[in-house]
Amino acid sequence: MLPPRREGERSWRRTLGAYVALTKPRVIELLLVTTVPTMILAERGLPSLWLILATLVGGALGAGSANVLNCYLDRDIDSVMGRTKRRPLVTGELTPRQALVFGLVLGVVSIAWFAVVVNVASALLLLGAILIYVVGYTMILKRRTSQNIVWGGAAGCMPVLIGWSAVTGGLDWAALVLFGVIFLWTPPHYWPLSMRFKDDYAAAGVPMLPVVAGERRVAGEMLAYAVAMVACTFALVPVAGMGWVYIGASAVAGVWFVGSCIRLYRIAVDPERRGVASRGPAMKVFHGSITYLTIVFAAVAVDPFLPW
């Protein structure tokens, strides 16, 4: 048996870990991957390290707030889904009241941080992102429509607008193009995960597209979004004057990712492979989507430093 001091230390660490888990750190990490490259493009070079740090800190707090409030509102869904049943509100490590207070405090602090340390425009965009995710997606769309992730996914596009406005104090067509890239990326990123866990979503009564539609339609729509997404990446070339590094990286990554969506579609339409697409092949597209977005935004970050 552990001495009282060791037990107290272990309990404190578990509680802290539970609070951190509510913020969904891996989701935050993906959102921040798009912020710094956008800031570099807006600056056409490296912004001040202080501004980058301030934007990342405020963005992480804001995204954490939205994720915590999502966990609070969706705790009934999380309790019946295998993928989410170990979240702190389901296991009882934290109470709903603790989560609600934590989420609201994070939100207020993040918006105030942006308003004071960065600029008011970025603070208002962050407020909009939180409202889109918590109210628009979680409270209104998620349980009502199979297109929930399409429109609710706009919240995940907001970091590029926030990053751009942090540097310039406003928005530009290039920022809107990057917003469009992530908006079109979201369905072929999230629907493969929904295909893999469609039984969980069905049990929870969440009408994700893979729950209410067959694999053929889901894979077909994913492919359409992927093609539109790649086309949108090339719109950045004339709008932001991107060079050959960005063009080459976007082309190669785009062909590769669209090819993975085509392979998934072929499996989905093959009657002899019914049900196969929602397992391994879907998860390959899911993980591939993360790699794709990382490559494109890495190219966005590198391109402004090159002479062509």
Side-chain angles (χ1 to χ4, degrees), residues 41-297:
L41 181 61
E43 182 70 26
R44 284 293 171 179
L46 188 66
S48 74
L49 295 180
W50 165 246
L51 180 60
I52 292 175
L53 179 61
T55 304
L56 292 181
V57 169
L61 292 174
S65 168
N67 289 332
V68 171
L69 295 174
N70 170 264
C71 287
Y72 169 78
L73 293 167
D74 278 354
R75 60 191 185 277
D76 58 329
I77 292 175
D78 290 344
S79 66
V80 298
M81 294 180 60
R83 186 171 63 89
T84 57
K85 65 182 180 182
R86 293 182 180 84
R87 287 179 177 170
L89 291 182
V90 179
T91 62
E93 292 180 80
L94 295 174
T95 67
R97 178 181 174 81
Q98 287 174 314
L100 178 60
V101 171
F102 181 49
L104 292 174
V105 168
L106 282 180
V108 171
V109 169
S110 64
I111 294 167
W113 172 270
F114 264 109
V116 174
V117 179
V118 183
N119 56 47
V120 174
S122 297
L124 292 175
L125 287 168
L126 178 62
L127 173 61
I130 294 172
L131 292 176
I132 290 171
Y133 189 68
V134 175
V135 179
Y137 172 66
T138 305
M139 297 179 67
I140 298 175
L141 296 171
K142 185 172 183 177
R143 307 184 192 218
R144 290 178 171 85
T145 172
S146 62
Q147 298 298 305
N148 46 25
I149 197 61
V150 176
W151 304 110
C157 311
M158 295 298 285
V160 297
L161 302 187
I162 293 169
W164 191 280
S165 68
V167 173
T168 67
L171 296 177
D172 198 296
W173 283 110
L176 298 178
V177 170
L178 291 173
F179 180 98
V181 170
I182 303 175
F183 182 82
L184 296 168
W185 169 85
T186 301
H189 166 67
Y190 202 86
W191 279 339
L193 190 67
S194 304
M195 292 175 72
R196 175 65 180 84
F197 295 102
K198 65 179 180 180
D199 291 341
D200 274 358
Y201 283 110
V206 179
M208 302 299 292
L209 184 63
V211 173
V212 302
E215 289 184 348
R216 178 172 186 161
R217 178 185 165 189
V218 177
E221 291 199 20
M222 285 170 51
L223 177 57
Y225 273 105
V227 171
M229 171 191 68
V230 173
C232 192
T233 64
F234 288 110
L236 192 64
V237 177
V239 169
M242 306 303 286
W244 289 107
V245 169
Y246 173 81
I247 294 171
S250 298
V252 171
V255 169
W256 169 72
F257 184 66
V258 169
S260 69
C261 291
I262 290 173
R263 286 191 292 273
L264 181 66
Y265 180 76
R266 286 176 175 173
I267 294 172
V269 299
D270 187 347
E272 295 183 0
R273 306 180 74 180
R274 188 179 302 276
V276 173
S278 62
R279 297 194 286 272
M283 292 307 292
K284 286 183 179 179
V285 174
F286 169 74
H287 291 297
S289 68
I290 298 173
T291 302
Y292 168 83
L293 195 70
T294 303
I295 292 172
V296 170
F297 274 85

